[in-house]
Amino acid sequence: MSAQRVVHAVSGRLSLRHPQEESLQKLHDALEAVPALRDSQARSPEDLQAMIKAMAAQFPSLADFERDFPSLCFALATGVGKTRLMGAFITYLHAAYGYRHFFVLAPNLTIYDKLIRDFTPNTPKYVFKGIAEFATTPPEVITGDNYEQTANLSLFDGVQINIFNISKINSEVRGGKSPRIKRLSEYLGQSYFDYLANLPDLVLLMDESHRYRASAGVRALNELKPLLGLELTATPFVEGAGGKTVDFRNVVMRYMLASAIEDGFVKEPAVVTQQNFKPADHSAEQIERIKLMDGIRVHEETKVHLQTYAAQNGVPPVKPFMLVIARDTTHAAQLLELIQSDLFHGQYKGRVIQVDSSKTGADEEKMIRDLLEVEHYDSPTEIVIPVNMLKEGWDVTNLYTIVPLRAANARTLIEQSIGRGLRLPYGRKTGVEVVDRLNIIAHDKFNEVVEEAGRGDSPIRLKKLELAPPGTTGEKLKSVTVPSTADVLLGLVQTQVATSGTVETQTPTAATPYATGSVATVVFAAEDKPIVQATRAVIAEIARDTATMPSSAALAKPEVQARITQLVQERLLPAQTTLEGMETRSAASVAEVVQKTAQVLMAQTIDIPRILVKPMGAVKTGYRDFTLDVSRMKYQPMDQSLISKALQSGKETILGQASMIREERAQRITSCAN
């Protein structure tokens, strides 16, 4: 199979999004245009410059590899699927060119653990899902934790994926020391580093590559001299002197956040401030408190909108949470105390977690556990306060409000801080603005962020939202879930009113407006509830039988009630012999509850007639003979070749000989007429 056909096959099997497919195509174009990229021979600086020159026409943004080996950067917005693209790169390079050895680099422990999970078979986000060849023989995953126990590596024929954490390597090379990976291995007879460096087809993949600039660990890894480097990042720049940003010079694919928003892959960010807010009128402490309070206001309204959307569309509910970005650990601790005690009278006590390096031992384990569960609907956590720990690799879909309280320029704030909240909870845009929107509370930097987003070269366009000052918005937003009157009267459900994130439960009684007419006096005891539930389910089933129940009035018939009572008793039978002390309901008491339940349902049901359309008169079908006039056809025998013609260029291509099926005998051609 040609390399180009491999591109199409990989894109189809992995169901790549169009920016992922375009990235894979650009990698193919680079390798085909410059065969030297596939050459494992040593490359001099002159060789690297010659490669760049050869690729200049195809990739105008490529000015330098920025490393001691050919390295191409693919800049894709957060939420588009960079890890999936890494899997596509590996699959393509193995299928098209036979490469077997890959070195995947993570910038920190969080992403390191995530990459190991995503490259492990039978996990939710397995990157090779859809590749049948890897289903039977999955790639061998070697990590920074187990590489010393892996022997005879050179004897394997399958794909090997090495996953290492650069932050750990950085800590090992401090003071000019050699990293642990360079130590002699008793299994290999050489260091693992030397083993990798001697591989002729080693490909280095760098996740979040903006973190690999000028670090000691990366300088050590340069000595690996990989065949090719592939970098992935959502922020293809680094901050230089004076807060200015320096763009990467080796970008070959750029798909920025504005495009991802337009194509519906991520939430739409919106910058939020108060109406007529003037930062100069407030102290830094006051601005911080105002931003926190307004962030919670937005968070509470978002909760109500999400609950309403889930109820109206029959989808699982999403519990949103708020991210408050602190300056340092001391600031984070102060924010934790403030939010849990002073703000909104301690309403958020026990609902806030602090995520930073100050936690150790059991506290650290609890912090990680709470952080991993924050996406679950039943998690109590509503506010997370991180300190430089959740910049990349933390994939959650229910982050809806961000309050940045640390110093940052507008571009860094836009591209890094909001990246954690861009993923959509339902995997696609819903068309409901509040459900599809990420809110950034930026009172003090509102104008600066808006100006940055409005620049011609900005990677994003932001919406602007202005909040009314507290106390001027009138009644709080409410989401009311209204169950059916019948279920309320039967005691099966309760009405719920969600106000500012709290849920008020109202239990109807016989005195409520629901209890009207002849069923006003029907009251069910608590022990009747299992029978009522079973009766409700049985009636729903037998209602499908129009012969038994042509209308709801049939529920009043003794024979129908007897049938329902029999089915209900069968459902209520215990799985084992009743234990001493446990009572069973008599048939008479069950029949009484069934009768009351049927009475409520008859009173609260509006019959909808079933309409059946039937044709009138006889329906006839049959076959009629006919004679096909072929006297004007002068077709001559011709080659059985397949010809393809491009619709745009008109170019014709012969694809090969067509398949032929020989019939044993001619069949009579007939027509079916109604």
Side-chain angles (χ1 to χ4, degrees):
M1 184 183 296
S2 68
Q4 181 60 63
R5 293 180 64 187
V6 172
V7 171
H8 296 318
V10 172
S11 299
R13 292 197 196 179
L14 293 179
S15 300
L16 298 183
R17 293 171 167 174
H18 71 81
Q20 296 169 320
E21 184 175 2
E22 185 179 350
S23 298
L24 184 60
Q25 182 65 50
K26 286 185 179 295
L27 173 60
H28 165 77
D29 293 342
L31 294 175
E32 290 296 307
V34 185
L37 288 172
R38 311 195 302 266
D39 188 355
S40 61
Q41 300 297 320
R43 286 92 168 246
S44 65
E46 292 76 15
D47 294 332
L48 297 181
Q49 288 302 317
M51 294 180 191
I52 295 171
K53 186 176 181 180
M55 299 171 65
Q58 201 161 17
F59 303 103
S61 59
L62 179 66
D64 191 87
F65 289 136
E66 299 199 14
R67 305 193 187 275
D68 296 342
F69 52 86
S71 187
L72 309 177
C73 178
F74 298 82
L76 272 70
T78 297
V80 174
K82 291 187 290 293
T83 309
R84 186 75 163 175
L85 180 58
M86 293 171 67
F89 283 161
I90 292 173
T91 305
Y92 164 75
L93 292 173
H94 176 63
Y97 303 109
Y99 297 168
R100 296 176 42 234
H101 301 95
F102 300 89
F103 193 98
V104 180
L105 207 54
N108 54 42
L109 182 60
T110 302
I111 298 181
Y112 171 73
D113 291 337
K114 172 184 175 294
L115 287 173
I116 293 175
R117 288 195 305 271
D118 292 348
F119 278 95
T120 301
N122 302 319
T123 53
K125 297 182 180 179
Y126 183 49
V127 296
F128 298 120
K129 189 179 297 182
I131 305 300
E133 292 79 1
F134 286 162
T136 55
T137 309
E140 181 181 16
V141 177
I142 302 168
T143 71
D145 300 314
N146 66 11
Y147 71 94
E148 292 179 304
Q149 289 78 44
T150 307
N152 300 324
L153 292 172
S154 60
L155 300 181
F156 285 99
D157 293 329
V159 172
Q160 296 171 11
I161 300 175
N162 299 271
I163 303 177
F164 279 74
N165 179 8
I166 189 63
S167 63
K168 184 176 181 181
I169 296 176
N170 283 335
S171 66
E172 294 172 351
V173 298
R174 288 175 184 155
K177 299 178 182 179
S178 294
R180 186 177 176 183
I181 193 176
K182 285 192 172 184
R183 297 177 187 175
L184 179 66
S185 168
E186 61 183 64
Y187 295 111
L188 301 173
Q190 58 182 337
S191 70
Y192 194 74
F193 185 92
D194 290 336
Y195 159 75
L196 293 173
N198 290 326
L199 293 172
D201 61 347
L202 183 66
V203 176
L204 178 61
L205 295 97
M206 292 162 274
D207 196 10
E208 306 293 352
S209 66
H210 58 275
R211 301 283 295 274
Y212 308 142
R213 302 281 163 156
S215 72
V218 170
R219 287 195 296 270
L221 290 173
N222 273 335
E223 300 175 19
L224 283 174
K225 292 290 190 293
L227 179 67
L228 179 65
L230 302 175
E231 306 180 25
L232 297 101
T233 182
T235 53
F237 62 86
V238 293
E239 292 188 22
K244 294 183 178 180
T245 57
V246 180
D247 293 332
F248 291 180
R249 303 177 65 200
N250 63 336
V251 176
V252 296
M253 170 65 186
R254 191 181 296 269
Y255 183 81
M256 292 291 91
L257 194 51
S259 300
I261 294 171
E262 184 177 349
D263 292 339
F265 293 143
V266 296
K267 295 191 188 92
E268 184 161 354
V271 60
V272 182
T273 190
Q274 278 190 18
Q275 292 176 350
N276 304 316
F277 186 82
K278 297 180 180 179
D281 295 344
H282 306 275
S283 67
E285 292 75 14
Q286 290 174 332
I287 291 177
E288 187 172 283
R289 190 181 185 95
I290 292 171
K291 288 172 68 175
L292 282 172
M293 295 182 69
D294 284 342
I296 292 175
R297 289 170 59 195
V298 172
H299 165 70
E300 291 295 346
E301 288 201 2
T302 302
K303 286 168 63 176
V304 175
H305 283 294
L306 286 171
Q307 182 180 351
T308 302
Y309 175 80
Q312 291 178 340
N313 294 274
V315 295
V318 173
K319 182 215 65 154
F321 74 96
M322 185 171 82
L323 195 70
V324 181
I325 304 175
R327 295 188 297 270
D328 50 43
T329 56
T330 302
H331 186 218
Q334 294 171 350
L335 291 172
L336 179 68
E337 177 64 24
L338 174 65
I339 294 172
Q340 293 197 121
S341 57
D342 293 351
L343 290 185
F344 298 99
H345 309 290
Q347 180 180 345
Y348 293 91
K349 186 176 181 60
R351 301 185 185 184
V352 189
I353 60 173
Q354 178 182 344
V355 182
D356 56 43
S357 58
S358 65
K359 302 290 190 297
T360 58
D363 291 339
E364 183 181 17
E365 293 178 3
K366 184 179 185 303
M367 175 191 75
I368 295 174
R369 185 169 59 253
D370 291 342
L371 186 62
L372 293 176
E373 293 177 355
V374 75
E375 202 170 7
H376 298 169
Y377 184 75
D378 55 355
S379 168
T381 302
E382 292 194 42
I383 301 175
V384 177
I385 307 175
V387 181
N388 290 329
M389 288 190 68
L390 303 177
K391 287 184 178 179
E392 302 102 2
W394 187 45
D395 296 335
V396 291
T397 60
N398 59 331
L399 173 55
Y400 272 86
T401 307
I402 298 178
V403 183
L405 299 180
R406 65 177 179 85
N409 63 37
R411 183 171 181 182
T412 301
L413 173 64
I414 291 174
E415 296 202 20
Q416 290 188 355
S417 298
I418 69 176
R420 302 309 96 211
L422 289 175
R423 289 171 175 81
L424 294 163
Y426 297 108
R428 55 173 177 77
K429 281 195 172 180
T430 63
V432 179
E433 182 181 352
V434 180
V435 179
D436 299 335
R437 188 179 68 216
L438 171 67
N439 304 291
I440 303 100
I441 313 298
H443 294 6
D444 51 336
K445 287 185 175 291
F446 181 81
N447 292 328
E448 182 182 345
V449 171
V450 170
E451 289 175 4
E452 173 65 26
R455 288 174 46 192
D457 60 346
S458 174
I460 186 176
R461 298 292 183 269
L462 289 175
K463 284 190 174 182
K464 295 183 290 184
L465 295 179
E466 293 187 352
L467 300 175
T472 63
T473 56
E475 188 177 355
K476 291 183 178 180
L477 190 66
K478 295 182 179 181
S479 177
V480 181
T481 302
V482 182
S484 71
T485 304
D487 285 342
V488 173
L489 289 172
L490 293 174
L492 299 180
V493 295
Q494 298 170 325
T495 57
Q496 291 184 344
V497 180
T499 306
S500 295
T502 60
V503 177
E504 303 171 6
T505 301
Q506 302 175 355
T507 305
T509 64
T512 65
Y514 286 112
T516 57
S518 61
V519 296
T521 58
V522 176
V523 178
F524 294 95
E527 58 270 19
D528 293 340
K529 188 173 182 179
I531 302 176
V532 175
Q533 289 176 325
T535 303
R536 188 77 164 91
V538 168
I539 291 176
E541 291 179 5
I542 67 174
R544 301 188 186 100
D545 182 4
T546 56
T548 303
M549 282 188 61
S551 68
S552 60
L555 289 173
K557 296 180 179 179
E559 62 271 20
V560 173
Q561 291 193 7
R563 174 61 177 161
I564 296 172
T565 302
Q566 178 186 353
L567 294 174
V568 169
Q569 284 180 308
E570 292 176 358
R571 295 194 177 197
L572 295 176
L573 285 176
Q576 298 179 359
T577 304
T578 303
L579 299 177
E580 185 177 355
M582 295 180 63
E583 298 181 357
T584 58
R585 300 292 294 268
S586 65
S589 63
V590 172
E592 182 182 358
V593 175
V594 169
Q595 183 183 18
K596 290 181 179 180
T597 304
Q599 181 183 354
V600 171
L601 291 176
M602 282 189 294
Q604 299 298 325
T605 300
I606 299 176
D607 291 332
I608 300 175
R610 294 181 175 90
I611 300 175
L612 182 62
V613 179
K614 293 183 178 181
M616 298 179 64
V619 179
K620 298 180 180 180
T621 60
Y623 297 95
R624 296 178 182 175
D625 289 335
F626 68 93
T627 301
L628 180 63
D629 183 6
V630 295
S631 59
R632 296 188 180 185
M633 296 182 182
K634 305 296 182 182
Y635 292 133
Q636 301 298 320
M638 58 187 297
D639 287 340
Q640 299 296 315
S641 298
L642 294 177
I643 298 178
S644 169
K645 185 171 184 177
L647 297 178
Q648 183 170 342
S649 65
K651 180 181 177 181
E652 291 188 355
T653 305
I654 298 177
L655 303 180
Q657 295 297 312
S659 300
M660 296 181 63
I661 299 176
R662 298 185 180 278
E663 299 288 353
E664 295 297 329
R665 59 189 178 87
Q667 300 291 332
R668 169 177 283 186
I669 302 176
T670 58
S671 172
C672 176
N674 291 328

